[in-house]
Amino acid sequence: MRDRRLTALPARHARADRTPSRRPRTWHLSALTALLAFATALPATAATLARIASPGDVLTVTLESQHEDRLAYRVERKGTPVIAPSRLGFVLGDGRLERNLELVGQSSRSVDQTWEQPWGERRLTRNRYNELRARFAEKPVDARHPGRRIDLVFRVYDDGIGFRYEFPEQAAKEVRIRQELTEFALADAARTTAWWIPAFEWNREEYLYSRTPLQQIGTAQTPLTLRTGDGLHVSIHEAALVDYAGMNLARGDGDVLRAALTPGNDHSAPVVRATPFTTPWRTIQVGERAGDLAQSSLILNLNEPNAIGDVSWFTPAKYVGVWWSLHLETETWGTGPKHGATTANTRRYIDFAAANGFRGVLVEGWNPGWDGNWFANGWGFDFTRATPDFDLEGLAKYAAGKGVHLVGHHETACAVSHYERQLPAALDLYARNGVDVVKTGYVCDAGDIQRQDRAGGPVVREWHEGQWMSNHHLRVLEAAAKRHVAVNSHEPIKDTGLRRTYPNWVSREGARGMEFAAWGNPPNPPEHEATLVFTRMLAGPMDFTPGIVSLKGRNGQLLRSTLAKQLALYVVLYSPIQMVADLPEHYAEHPDAFRFIQDVAVDWEESVVVDGEVGEYATIARKVRGGDAWFLGSVGDDRPRSLRTPLSFLEPGRRYRAEIYRDGAGADWEKNPFAFVRETREVGRDDVLTLELGRGGGQAIRFVPL
Ligand code: NOJ
Ligand code: CA
């Protein structure tokens, strides 16, 4: 499916060379103070090179030249400084590229187009921005610096900005990026709160979010979510991470956040590229409400259109599987008396899926390599055949007869080159057997990815978010797309919106999912999901694996969740594939709750972030794609909450039957998690519901037009 340009505005001159605004501004005192603060900090020589505003005049980016012809940009929202002057540049193999940069040309254009997602949280997305391209040449100062060239491109939207560096073709054929000097200096750093997870720690992205003053950030991963003293919400992330190292943010002098690229195996340069090339977009989303961040399509908009053609073969769907039992340790991945992936057990899951309208059955532990200490020996995995007690072909046929598809599983344990060598045959095997989604896995400590460029050669180590892995994932996606297979990566590289370009990259993990509720140490706290909505989920879909209606993990440990909250997660945490993660026998014990899991959709016409605060609560409504029903999910934290919720997202002039699945009186994840009510009411868009959430609570609603 290609982007459809519904409306094209004639290119007009950006406001690049005009004064900041044509209308008078009322300056808030705090804004003025902040402006004065950074204005005085500026070297006297700072000169404005260009300025560009968003289409609705909400955000403005100013590009300026500082002392010694260094470049900096700053961002204002309706006149309030959000990003103070922040430096741009690189440390390259042939010297720093940051001084003596001379503007040799600039151009601008406006774009307003609407494009269609083949599947997603909304069908139509408006991509409306003003773009500035500024071309720079380095003044040749000595023989070592032959006058390098670099372009800066800014796209300014009403809800955020993206900018990237473009290295045109030039004398140097190869560019070795030793570090990026991109800065993000929050104008209100001293009064800004951050929600962040640490970078470069062993457990990759699987950390609990810390909420601290910005001044206590060490090195954070992105997306990084911030709230300024004035209550503006900001997220810093990146879009289109292709053939480049993932960007982290390290707090430096003056509480400036600086890009810290993920290293590669060649420690002298995290990124090595041939010219011409572009970096990923560095993104800054800005909104008044926390919900504005979650509503924004900036990351997707900055990605390239679909590059793999028609993906109508991919069906958004729910799936069950031999999975939770493995984490409960009642079954094993390895062969033996407790082996989960047996033919008989898988048939049981296929029957359960067919009887309840679920399309997929995931089976982990189906292939040789799991026996013993599998995570220490990824080189033992065979992805081209099944264990003797698992009849792949027979099960695939059995499933097909019932309209069910097996969901594949490739756990690499980080022996990534070993996996790549088997990839064509492994995907052929799946494609032959009707497996059209594969869950991949990269379980190992951060920095321990094993790369071997030729069989028998040395094995070197890479990071999950390094340049080499960014390319690995694209190799998998391309091989999978050829065979009409979609990919759901666990322990992935972070999501940067590449599902727009590769719509077979349907989901991924990349945060603490439900599995932590099984293991504990510590389990996910009650506010975890209300934090994810405004942090991890800004990057893209997550395979969180909700629906643990038994509310217990290993050894009877309690989930920090009521029953109703497990249902709400299907709406709140978007993914086009959603696991129905609990054991079939547990669903049989909760038929009322199970009704919602059967009914809830996975593909949406529109999504509306109704309300929320980072780490406190989130309420999201979504309209089914190809239907008229709406769903709503709301999740809270460790406090009971009453949430006044106008239903203004519903269609005008229509009445709906609201099927409400809510916390019952006294619901509390610790003391009374199964207090649960299912009831119906007639409602319309002028009604306001009060959602009562218990501790660790939630609510899920299906609105069916009458
Ligand atoms: C970690 C994944 O997140 C989990 O879902 C999977 O079961 C194990 N790895 C084994 O691959
Ligand atoms: Ca994991």
PDB file of all heavy atoms in Angstrom, residues 194-216:
ATOM      1  N   ALA A 194      11.395  13.895  34.999  1.00  0.00           N
ATOM      2  CA  ALA A 194      11.685  12.928  33.931  1.00  0.00           C
ATOM      3  C   ALA A 194      11.214  11.538  34.326  1.00  0.00           C
ATOM      4  O   ALA A 194      11.281  11.158  35.492  1.00  0.00           O
ATOM      5  CB  ALA A 194      13.186  12.905  33.660  1.00  0.00           C
ATOM      6  N   TRP A 195      10.719  10.797  33.341  1.00  0.00           N
ATOM      7  CA  TRP A 195      10.423   9.368  33.507  1.00  0.00           C
ATOM      8  C   TRP A 195      11.389   8.647  32.576  1.00  0.00           C
ATOM      9  O   TRP A 195      11.347   8.847  31.355  1.00  0.00           O
ATOM     10  CB  TRP A 195       8.986   9.056  33.106  1.00  0.00           C
ATOM     11  CG  TRP A 195       7.991   9.534  34.120  1.00  0.00           C
ATOM     12  CD1 TRP A 195       7.416   8.792  35.123  1.00  0.00           C
ATOM     13  CD2 TRP A 195       7.415  10.852  34.240  1.00  0.00           C
ATOM     14  NE1 TRP A 195       6.552   9.567  35.850  1.00  0.00           N
ATOM     15  CE2 TRP A 195       6.529  10.831  35.339  1.00  0.00           C
ATOM     16  CE3 TRP A 195       7.586  12.053  33.533  1.00  0.00           C
ATOM     17  CZ2 TRP A 195       5.802  11.954  35.731  1.00  0.00           C
ATOM     18  CZ3 TRP A 195       6.873  13.162  33.924  1.00  0.00           C
ATOM     19  CH2 TRP A 195       5.981  13.109  35.010  1.00  0.00           C
ATOM     20  N   TRP A 196      12.240   7.818  33.138  1.00  0.00           N
ATOM     21  CA  TRP A 196      13.323   7.285  32.309  1.00  0.00           C
ATOM     22  C   TRP A 196      13.787   5.920  32.789  1.00  0.00           C
ATOM     23  O   TRP A 196      13.588   5.540  33.938  1.00  0.00           O
ATOM     24  CB  TRP A 196      14.495   8.276  32.304  1.00  0.00           C
ATOM     25  CG  TRP A 196      15.083   8.584  33.660  1.00  0.00           C
ATOM     26  CD1 TRP A 196      14.537   9.383  34.629  1.00  0.00           C
ATOM     27  CD2 TRP A 196      16.319   8.103  34.186  1.00  0.00           C
ATOM     28  NE1 TRP A 196      15.356   9.429  35.721  1.00  0.00           N
ATOM     29  CE2 TRP A 196      16.462   8.656  35.482  1.00  0.00           C
ATOM     30  CE3 TRP A 196      17.330   7.269  33.677  1.00  0.00           C
ATOM     31  CZ2 TRP A 196      17.577   8.389  36.285  1.00  0.00           C
ATOM     32  CZ3 TRP A 196      18.439   7.012  34.475  1.00  0.00           C
ATOM     33  CH2 TRP A 196      18.555   7.569  35.761  1.00  0.00           C
ATOM     34  N   ILE A 197      14.379   5.187  31.854  1.00  0.00           N
ATOM     35  CA  ILE A 197      15.071   3.933  32.197  1.00  0.00           C
ATOM     36  C   ILE A 197      16.537   4.104  31.798  1.00  0.00           C
ATOM     37  O   ILE A 197      16.853   4.827  30.849  1.00  0.00           O
ATOM     38  CB  ILE A 197      14.448   2.693  31.510  1.00  0.00           C
ATOM     39  CG1 ILE A 197      14.345   2.878  29.999  1.00  0.00           C
ATOM     40  CG2 ILE A 197      13.096   2.350  32.116  1.00  0.00           C
ATOM     41  CD1 ILE A 197      13.928   1.611  29.255  1.00  0.00           C
ATOM     42  N   PRO A 198      17.450   3.460  32.528  1.00  0.00           N
ATOM     43  CA  PRO A 198      18.879   3.667  32.292  1.00  0.00           C
ATOM     44  C   PRO A 198      19.339   2.996  30.994  1.00  0.00           C
ATOM     45  O   PRO A 198      18.787   1.974  30.581  1.00  0.00           O
ATOM     46  CB  PRO A 198      19.540   2.994  33.499  1.00  0.00           C
ATOM     47  CG  PRO A 198      18.559   1.938  33.922  1.00  0.00           C
ATOM     48  CD  PRO A 198      17.203   2.501  33.624  1.00  0.00           C
ATOM     49  N   ALA A 199      20.336   3.578  30.382  1.00  0.00           N
ATOM     50  CA  ALA A 199      20.944   2.984  29.180  1.00  0.00           C
ATOM     51  C   ALA A 199      22.178   2.182  29.591  1.00  0.00           C
ATOM     52  O   ALA A 199      22.752   2.413  30.659  1.00  0.00           O
ATOM     53  CB  ALA A 199      21.343   4.085  28.213  1.00  0.00           C
ATOM     54  N   PHE A 200      22.552   1.250  28.738  1.00  0.00           N
ATOM     55  CA  PHE A 200      23.806   0.476  28.876  1.00  0.00           C
ATOM     56  C   PHE A 200      23.824  -0.453  30.083  1.00  0.00           C
ATOM     57  O   PHE A 200      24.884  -0.874  30.515  1.00  0.00           O
ATOM     58  CB  PHE A 200      25.035   1.396  28.919  1.00  0.00           C
ATOM     59  CG  PHE A 200      25.131   2.326  27.733  1.00  0.00           C
ATOM     60  CD1 PHE A 200      25.226   3.701  27.904  1.00  0.00           C
ATOM     61  CD2 PHE A 200      25.103   1.821  26.440  1.00  0.00           C
ATOM     62  CE1 PHE A 200      25.313   4.554  26.808  1.00  0.00           C
ATOM     63  CE2 PHE A 200      25.186   2.667  25.338  1.00  0.00           C
ATOM     64  CZ  PHE A 200      25.289   4.035  25.528  1.00  0.00           C
ATOM     65  N   GLU A 201      22.652  -0.749  30.674  1.00  0.00           N
ATOM     66  CA  GLU A 201      22.627  -1.719  31.774  1.00  0.00           C
ATOM     67  C   GLU A 201      22.342  -3.108  31.207  1.00  0.00           C
ATOM     68  O   GLU A 201      21.807  -3.245  30.113  1.00  0.00           O
ATOM     69  CB  GLU A 201      21.547  -1.336  32.793  1.00  0.00           C
ATOM     70  CG  GLU A 201      21.793   0.001  33.471  1.00  0.00           C
ATOM     71  CD  GLU A 201      22.946  -0.031  34.466  1.00  0.00           C
ATOM     72  OE1 GLU A 201      23.361  -1.137  34.867  1.00  0.00           O
ATOM     73  OE2 GLU A 201      23.442   1.050  34.825  1.00  0.00           O
ATOM     74  N   TRP A 202      22.643  -4.150  31.987  1.00  0.00           N
ATOM     75  CA  TRP A 202      22.644  -5.504  31.421  1.00  0.00           C
ATOM     76  C   TRP A 202      21.283  -5.969  30.928  1.00  0.00           C
ATOM     77  O   TRP A 202      21.189  -6.700  29.957  1.00  0.00           O
ATOM     78  CB  TRP A 202      23.205  -6.509  32.443  1.00  0.00           C
ATOM     79  CG  TRP A 202      22.288  -6.764  33.614  1.00  0.00           C
ATOM     80  CD1 TRP A 202      22.237  -6.052  34.767  1.00  0.00           C
ATOM     81  CD2 TRP A 202      21.283  -7.778  33.712  1.00  0.00           C
ATOM     82  NE1 TRP A 202      21.256  -6.567  35.588  1.00  0.00           N
ATOM     83  CE2 TRP A 202      20.662  -7.625  34.973  1.00  0.00           C
ATOM     84  CE3 TRP A 202      20.838  -8.810  32.873  1.00  0.00           C
ATOM     85  CZ2 TRP A 202      19.629  -8.454  35.409  1.00  0.00           C
ATOM     86  CZ3 TRP A 202      19.803  -9.632  33.309  1.00  0.00           C
ATOM     87  CH2 TRP A 202      19.209  -9.448  34.560  1.00  0.00           C
ATOM     88  N   ASN A 203      20.182  -5.513  31.600  1.00  0.00           N
ATOM     89  CA  ASN A 203      18.864  -6.050  31.233  1.00  0.00           C
ATOM     90  C   ASN A 203      18.180  -5.244  30.136  1.00  0.00           C
ATOM     91  O   ASN A 203      16.955  -5.173  30.086  1.00  0.00           O
ATOM     92  CB  ASN A 203      17.978  -6.167  32.479  1.00  0.00           C
ATOM     93  CG  ASN A 203      17.018  -7.342  32.398  1.00  0.00           C
ATOM     94  OD1 ASN A 203      17.124  -8.184  31.505  1.00  0.00           O
ATOM     95  ND2 ASN A 203      16.080  -7.418  33.319  1.00  0.00           N
ATOM     96  N   ARG A 204      18.978  -4.607  29.285  1.00  0.00           N
ATOM     97  CA  ARG A 204      18.478  -3.909  28.108  1.00  0.00           C
ATOM     98  C   ARG A 204      17.380  -2.901  28.456  1.00  0.00           C
ATOM     99  O   ARG A 204      17.630  -1.995  29.234  1.00  0.00           O
ATOM    100  CB  ARG A 204      18.005  -4.934  27.063  1.00  0.00           C
ATOM    101  CG  ARG A 204      19.027  -6.025  26.756  1.00  0.00           C
ATOM    102  CD  ARG A 204      18.392  -7.152  26.005  1.00  0.00           C
ATOM    103  NE  ARG A 204      17.234  -7.643  26.728  1.00  0.00           N
ATOM    104  CZ  ARG A 204      17.268  -8.616  27.646  1.00  0.00           C
ATOM    105  NH1 ARG A 204      18.389  -9.244  27.904  1.00  0.00           N
ATOM    106  NH2 ARG A 204      16.177  -8.970  28.280  1.00  0.00           N
ATOM    107  N   GLU A 205      16.161  -3.096  27.880  1.00  0.00           N
ATOM    108  CA  GLU A 205      15.102  -2.101  28.137  1.00  0.00           C
ATOM    109  C   GLU A 205      14.196  -2.544  29.279  1.00  0.00           C
ATOM    110  O   GLU A 205      13.173  -1.908  29.520  1.00  0.00           O
ATOM    111  CB  GLU A 205      14.244  -1.911  26.885  1.00  0.00           C
ATOM    112  CG  GLU A 205      14.997  -1.324  25.721  1.00  0.00           C
ATOM    113  CD  GLU A 205      14.898  -2.203  24.495  1.00  0.00           C
ATOM    114  OE1 GLU A 205      14.719  -3.434  24.627  1.00  0.00           O
ATOM    115  OE2 GLU A 205      15.008  -1.656  23.386  1.00  0.00           O
ATOM    116  N   GLU A 206      14.544  -3.631  29.946  1.00  0.00           N
ATOM    117  CA  GLU A 206      13.595  -4.207  30.897  1.00  0.00           C
ATOM    118  C   GLU A 206      13.853  -3.699  32.319  1.00  0.00           C
ATOM    119  O   GLU A 206      14.241  -4.459  33.212  1.00  0.00           O
ATOM    120  CB  GLU A 206      13.603  -5.723  30.762  1.00  0.00           C
ATOM    121  CG  GLU A 206      13.121  -6.112  29.354  1.00  0.00           C
ATOM    122  CD  GLU A 206      13.179  -7.590  29.050  1.00  0.00           C
ATOM    123  OE1 GLU A 206      13.233  -8.386  29.998  1.00  0.00           O
ATOM    124  OE2 GLU A 206      13.190  -7.937  27.854  1.00  0.00           O
ATOM    125  N   TYR A 207      13.656  -2.401  32.479  1.00  0.00           N
ATOM    126  CA  TYR A 207      13.815  -1.738  33.781  1.00  0.00           C
ATOM    127  C   TYR A 207      12.533  -1.012  34.150  1.00  0.00           C
ATOM    128  O   TYR A 207      11.769  -0.604  33.271  1.00  0.00           O
ATOM    129  CB  TYR A 207      14.988  -0.748  33.725  1.00  0.00           C
ATOM    130  CG  TYR A 207      16.308  -1.487  33.725  1.00  0.00           C
ATOM    131  CD1 TYR A 207      16.924  -1.850  32.533  1.00  0.00           C
ATOM    132  CD2 TYR A 207      16.876  -1.889  34.924  1.00  0.00           C
ATOM    133  CE1 TYR A 207      18.093  -2.595  32.535  1.00  0.00           C
ATOM    134  CE2 TYR A 207      18.046  -2.635  34.932  1.00  0.00           C
ATOM    135  CZ  TYR A 207      18.643  -2.978  33.749  1.00  0.00           C
ATOM    136  OH  TYR A 207      19.783  -3.733  33.765  1.00  0.00           O
ATOM    137  N   LEU A 208      12.338  -0.852  35.444  1.00  0.00           N
ATOM    138  CA  LEU A 208      11.219  -0.024  35.890  1.00  0.00           C
ATOM    139  C   LEU A 208      11.573   1.429  35.630  1.00  0.00           C
ATOM    140  O   LEU A 208      12.734   1.830  35.764  1.00  0.00           O
ATOM    141  CB  LEU A 208      10.964  -0.249  37.377  1.00  0.00           C
ATOM    142  CG  LEU A 208      10.367  -1.611  37.710  1.00  0.00           C
ATOM    143  CD1 LEU A 208      10.229  -1.777  39.219  1.00  0.00           C
ATOM    144  CD2 LEU A 208       9.006  -1.787  37.021  1.00  0.00           C
ATOM    145  N   TYR A 209      10.583   2.202  35.273  1.00  0.00           N
ATOM    146  CA  TYR A 209      10.820   3.628  35.026  1.00  0.00           C
ATOM    147  C   TYR A 209      11.069   4.358  36.344  1.00  0.00           C
ATOM    148  O   TYR A 209      10.361   4.144  37.326  1.00  0.00           O
ATOM    149  CB  TYR A 209       9.626   4.245  34.295  1.00  0.00           C
ATOM    150  CG  TYR A 209       9.713   3.937  32.822  1.00  0.00           C
ATOM    151  CD1 TYR A 209       9.314   2.701  32.335  1.00  0.00           C
ATOM    152  CD2 TYR A 209      10.263   4.852  31.934  1.00  0.00           C
ATOM    153  CE1 TYR A 209       9.442   2.383  30.992  1.00  0.00           C
ATOM    154  CE2 TYR A 209      10.388   4.548  30.596  1.00  0.00           C
ATOM    155  CZ  TYR A 209       9.984   3.314  30.131  1.00  0.00           C
ATOM    156  OH  TYR A 209      10.121   3.000  28.806  1.00  0.00           O
ATOM    157  N   SER A 210      12.078   5.204  36.352  1.00  0.00           N
ATOM    158  CA  SER A 210      12.310   6.086  37.489  1.00  0.00           C
ATOM    159  C   SER A 210      11.651   7.410  37.172  1.00  0.00           C
ATOM    160  O   SER A 210      11.720   7.891  36.039  1.00  0.00           O
ATOM    161  CB  SER A 210      13.804   6.357  37.665  1.00  0.00           C
ATOM    162  OG  SER A 210      14.457   5.172  38.015  1.00  0.00           O
ATOM    163  N   ARG A 211      11.040   7.987  38.194  1.00  0.00           N
ATOM    164  CA  ARG A 211      10.507   9.345  38.059  1.00  0.00           C
ATOM    165  C   ARG A 211      11.401  10.216  38.931  1.00  0.00           C
ATOM    166  O   ARG A 211      11.432  10.050  40.156  1.00  0.00           O
ATOM    167  CB  ARG A 211       9.064   9.370  38.571  1.00  0.00           C
ATOM    168  CG  ARG A 211       8.463  10.740  38.585  1.00  0.00           C
ATOM    169  CD  ARG A 211       7.242  10.789  39.487  1.00  0.00           C
ATOM    170  NE  ARG A 211       6.977  12.189  39.778  1.00  0.00           N
ATOM    171  CZ  ARG A 211       5.780  12.738  39.734  1.00  0.00           C
ATOM    172  NH1 ARG A 211       4.738  12.014  39.457  1.00  0.00           N
ATOM    173  NH2 ARG A 211       5.633  14.020  39.998  1.00  0.00           N
ATOM    174  N   THR A 212      12.175  11.113  38.313  1.00  0.00           N
ATOM    175  CA  THR A 212      13.128  11.939  39.070  1.00  0.00           C
ATOM    176  C   THR A 212      13.148  13.342  38.463  1.00  0.00           C
ATOM    177  O   THR A 212      12.682  13.544  37.343  1.00  0.00           O
ATOM    178  CB  THR A 212      14.579  11.401  38.958  1.00  0.00           C
ATOM    179  OG1 THR A 212      15.053  11.619  37.615  1.00  0.00           O
ATOM    180  CG2 THR A 212      14.678   9.920  39.297  1.00  0.00           C
ATOM    181  N   PRO A 213      13.720  14.306  39.184  1.00  0.00           N
ATOM    182  CA  PRO A 213      14.019  15.568  38.509  1.00  0.00           C
ATOM    183  C   PRO A 213      14.965  15.290  37.338  1.00  0.00           C
ATOM    184  O   PRO A 213      15.786  14.356  37.418  1.00  0.00           O
ATOM    185  CB  PRO A 213      14.744  16.386  39.584  1.00  0.00           C
ATOM    186  CG  PRO A 213      14.324  15.773  40.879  1.00  0.00           C
ATOM    187  CD  PRO A 213      14.117  14.310  40.590  1.00  0.00           C
ATOM    188  N   LEU A 214      14.852  16.088  36.288  1.00  0.00           N
ATOM    189  CA  LEU A 214      15.754  15.931  35.132  1.00  0.00           C
ATOM    190  C   LEU A 214      17.209  15.922  35.609  1.00  0.00           C
ATOM    191  O   LEU A 214      18.046  15.200  35.059  1.00  0.00           O
ATOM    192  CB  LEU A 214      15.507  17.068  34.137  1.00  0.00           C
ATOM    193  CG  LEU A 214      16.372  17.103  32.887  1.00  0.00           C
ATOM    194  CD1 LEU A 214      15.568  17.674  31.728  1.00  0.00           C
ATOM    195  CD2 LEU A 214      17.648  17.895  33.044  1.00  0.00           C
ATOM    196  N   GLN A 215      17.468  16.694  36.651  1.00  0.00           N
ATOM    197  CA  GLN A 215      18.841  16.826  37.135  1.00  0.00           C
ATOM    198  C   GLN A 215      19.397  15.544  37.735  1.00  0.00           C
ATOM    199  O   GLN A 215      20.575  15.472  38.062  1.00  0.00           O
ATOM    200  CB  GLN A 215      18.898  17.955  38.176  1.00  0.00           C
ATOM    201  CG  GLN A 215      18.600  19.288  37.525  1.00  0.00           C
ATOM    202  CD  GLN A 215      18.333  20.389  38.534  1.00  0.00           C
ATOM    203  OE1 GLN A 215      17.752  20.135  39.581  1.00  0.00           O
ATOM    204  NE2 GLN A 215      18.743  21.599  38.208  1.00  0.00           N
ATOM    205  N   GLN A 216      18.545  14.513  37.871  1.00  0.00           N
ATOM    206  CA  GLN A 216      19.058  13.236  38.384  1.00  0.00           C
ATOM    207  C   GLN A 216      19.157  12.165  37.316  1.00  0.00           C
ATOM    208  O   GLN A 216      19.429  11.007  37.620  1.00  0.00           O
ATOM    209  CB  GLN A 216      18.181  12.757  39.537  1.00  0.00           C
ATOM    210  CG  GLN A 216      18.438  13.538  40.816  1.00  0.00           C
ATOM    211  CD  GLN A 216      17.396  13.249  41.890  1.00  0.00           C
ATOM    212  OE1 GLN A 216      16.788  12.193  41.910  1.00  0.00           O
ATOM    213  NE2 GLN A 216      17.193  14.217  42.768  1.00  0.00           N
TER     214      GLN A 216
END
